[in-house]
């Protein structure tokens, strides 16, 4: 059914981007300007972005800008 599918966790780079991310609706097409990052939780847990297609891990993206279509 799907040729490719991904799961992306987002970190908004500014308040405007945070509002745009909160407004995304199912099926909506988005065009982000983002960077894949590694993140460390306050508890010390470390999370790294997937860098290989098909490895079943998700991406963590720092989103600087977001266009909603």
């Amino acid at each position: 059914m799907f040729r490719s599918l991904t799961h992306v966790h987002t970190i908004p780079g500014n308040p405007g981007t945070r509002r745009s991310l909160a407004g995304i609706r199912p099926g909506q097409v988005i065009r982000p300007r983002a960077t894949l990052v590694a993140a460390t939780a306050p508890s010390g847990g470390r999370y790294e972005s997937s860098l290989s297609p098909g490895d079943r891990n998700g991406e963590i993206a720092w989103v600087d800008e977001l266009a909603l279509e």
Side-chain angles (χ1 to χ4, degrees):
M1 178 179 210
F2 294 105
R3 183 151 201 173
S4 69
L5 182 66
T6 190
H7 185 99
V8 180
H9 298 273
T10 58
I11 301 169
N14 59 63
T17 299
R18 180 183 300 275
R19 286 189 295 277
S20 294
L21 286 168
I24 295 171
R25 298 293 172 245
Q28 190 168 20
V29 175
I30 64 167
R31 302 209 184 274
R33 186 170 67 88
T35 303
L36 294 178
V37 297
T40 303
S43 64
R46 183 150 170 83
Y47 306 91
E48 294 193 23
S49 290
S50 166
L51 298 176
S52 302
D55 67 2
R56 298 183 184 256
N57 293 328
E59 285 80 25
I60 304 168
W62 179 276
V63 182
D64 292 306
E65 292 179 23
L66 184 67
L68 305 176
E69 295 185 7

